[in-house]
């Protein structure tokens, strides 16, 4: 069920698509397959099949006029399915009955699940003159009576009623998860293979245990000793140069005219 909840979350955030409109149309048609729901007593009977748009056209126009959100349409499906379970199978009605059923459920869903919803006078305009304000008011009252004012829609209700829409989304989420898992597994294998190769390379060139490393250290040690060893004659030569430079400098601590044996230099 958690997978369907994730799919429902995705569906709720998606825009209204043609698939959603088609699904709404099919659900509405199944409420009364032969449009045999009784017409309200005061409802006008002027609507004929010749002037009545198809249900899909009717729904599409309402969606376009109202810019209704996807969650509102999904809750409408739940109200339609509730009606399907409540209405008697032998009920009769007008050809426009299925249009009334959908519109009443859409209005109820919009008012229950949105902070701001169009007024009934606006809904009447959205029908392009198909229904009057009196028709809209009557539809809404009758729907609330049929539902016994039970207008709650739970997450479980949505998952059960929207299963055909959720199934492809769930499968797509599963494919995406498996693909990400496969990519992660491949990356981990590459990292492990790289570490193994680096370890073998280091192990094959372990200078701390190889003769070349010892020879290298011995050579460096010899060079250091050689650099430290300076012949005695060269040392005296450098010392004489240093003394001469001091004699020519002005850094002496005694007078130049003093006897030579009294010279002291720093």
């Amino acid at each position: 069920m958690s997978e369907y909840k994730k799919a429902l979350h995705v569906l709720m955030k998606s825009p209204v698509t043609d698939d959603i409109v088609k699904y709404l149309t099919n659900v509405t048609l199944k409420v009364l397959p032969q449009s045999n729901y009784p017409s309200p007593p005061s409802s006008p009977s002027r609507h004929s099949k010749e002037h009545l748009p198809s249900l899909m056209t009717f729904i599409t126009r309402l969606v376009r006029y109202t810019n209704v959100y996807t969650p509102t349409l999904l809750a409408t499906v739940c109200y339609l399915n509730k009606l399907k379970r409540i209405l008697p199978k032998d009920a009769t009605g007008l050809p426009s009955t299925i249009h009334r059923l959908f519109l009443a459920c859409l209005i109820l869903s919009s008012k229950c699940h949105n902070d701001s919803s169009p007024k009934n006078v606006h809904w009447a305009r959205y029908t392009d003159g198909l229904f009057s304000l009196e028709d809209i008011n009557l539809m809404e009252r009758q729907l609330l009576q049929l539902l016994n004012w039970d207008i709650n829609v739970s997450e479980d209700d949505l998952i059960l009623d929207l299963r055909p829409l959720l199934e492809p989304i769930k499968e797509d989420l599963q494919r995406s998860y498996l693909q990400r898992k496969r990519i992660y597994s491949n990356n981990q294998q590459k990292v492990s293979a790289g570490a193994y190769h680096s370890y073998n390379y280091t192990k094959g060139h372990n200078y701390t245990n190889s003769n070349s490393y010892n020879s290298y250290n011995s050579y460096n040690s010899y060079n250091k000793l050689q650099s430290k060893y300076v012949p005695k004659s060269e040392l005296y030569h450098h010392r004489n140069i240093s003394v001469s430079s001091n004699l020519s400098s002005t850094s002496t601590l005694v007078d130049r005219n003093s006897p030579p044996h009294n010279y002291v230099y720093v």
Side-chain angles (χ1 to χ4, degrees):
M1 184 65 72
S2 60
E3 295 179 350
Y4 283 103
K5 288 182 179 180
K6 294 178 182 179
L8 179 62
H9 183 71
V10 173
L11 182 61
M12 286 285 191
K13 292 187 175 183
S14 66
V16 180
T17 62
D18 292 339
D19 291 337
I20 294 178
V21 173
K22 291 177 182 178
Y23 186 71
L24 281 167
T25 303
N26 293 332
V27 171
T28 307
L29 291 173
K30 291 179 181 179
V31 176
L32 285 177
Q34 298 180 357
S35 201
N36 53 359
Y37 180 63
S39 176
S42 60
S43 178
S45 58
R46 63 180 181 274
H47 307 299
S48 62
K49 289 184 178 181
E50 289 76 13
H51 300 89
L52 194 67
S54 67
L55 182 61
M56 181 174 290
T57 301
F58 180 71
I59 295 175
T60 302
R61 287 177 182 174
L62 288 175
V63 170
R64 184 174 69 251
Y65 291 160
T66 61
N67 291 321
V68 63
Y69 296 120
T70 299
T72 303
L73 293 176
L74 300 182
T76 302
V77 173
C78 294
Y79 290 139
L80 290 168
N81 283 331
K82 283 185 178 182
L83 276 178
K84 182 180 179 181
R85 294 189 293 267
I86 293 173
L87 293 176
K89 296 181 179 181
D90 57 348
T92 58
L94 297 174
S96 63
T97 299
I98 54 175
H99 298 70
R100 297 170 183 273
L101 292 176
F102 174 81
L103 180 57
C105 291
L106 177 60
I107 293 173
L108 184 60
S109 177
S110 178
K111 291 183 177 180
C112 292
H113 301 100
N114 294 285
D115 295 333
S116 179
S117 176
K119 297 181 180 180
N120 285 0
V121 63
H122 299 138
W123 286 108
R125 295 173 185 171
Y126 296 150
T127 64
D128 290 334
L130 187 63
F131 300 112
S132 65
L133 176 60
E134 291 75 15
D135 295 331
I136 303 295
N137 293 335
L138 184 59
M139 293 176 199
E140 186 178 5
R141 289 197 301 269
Q142 287 185 332
L143 177 61
L144 289 171
Q145 292 174 359
L146 288 171
L147 296 178
N148 196 23
W149 293 85
D150 181 13
I151 58 177
N152 294 324
V153 176
S154 65
E155 189 178 60
D156 292 338
D157 293 334
L158 290 168
I159 292 175
L160 291 175
D161 292 339
L162 301 172
R163 187 66 63 91
L165 291 176
L166 298 177
E167 197 67 36
I169 299 176
K170 181 181 73 70
E171 293 176 356
D172 187 55
L173 291 175
Q174 289 177 342
R175 285 193 298 268
S176 299
Y177 169 75
L178 293 176
Q179 184 177 4
R180 292 195 302 270
K181 185 177 180 181
R182 184 165 55 253
I183 293 174
Y184 175 79
S185 178
N186 292 337
N187 290 337
Q188 289 296 104
Q189 291 178 1
K190 291 180 180 178
V191 171
S192 300
Y196 179 77
H197 176 73
S198 178
Y199 170 76
N200 285 342
Y201 180 82
T202 305
K203 184 178 180 182
H205 297 78
N206 192 351
Y207 293 108
T208 58
N209 297 325
S210 63
N211 294 329
S212 59
Y213 178 80
N214 294 331
S215 301
Y216 176 77
N217 280 346
S218 301
Y219 176 75
N220 281 345
S221 299
Y222 174 77
N223 285 342
K224 289 178 180 179
L225 290 174
Q226 288 293 94
S227 63
K228 290 182 179 179
Y229 174 77
V230 181
K232 185 176 181 180
S233 60
E234 187 176 346
L235 287 175
Y236 280 110
H237 174 69
H238 285 292
R239 181 173 178 271
N240 292 333
I241 293 175
S242 177
V243 171
S244 300
S245 63
N246 287 333
L247 286 174
S248 62
S249 67
T250 59
S251 62
T252 57
L253 298 180
V254 295
D255 189 3
R256 291 179 179 271
N257 297 323
S258 299
H261 62 273
N262 290 331
Y263 284 0
V264 178
Y265 301 96
V266 178

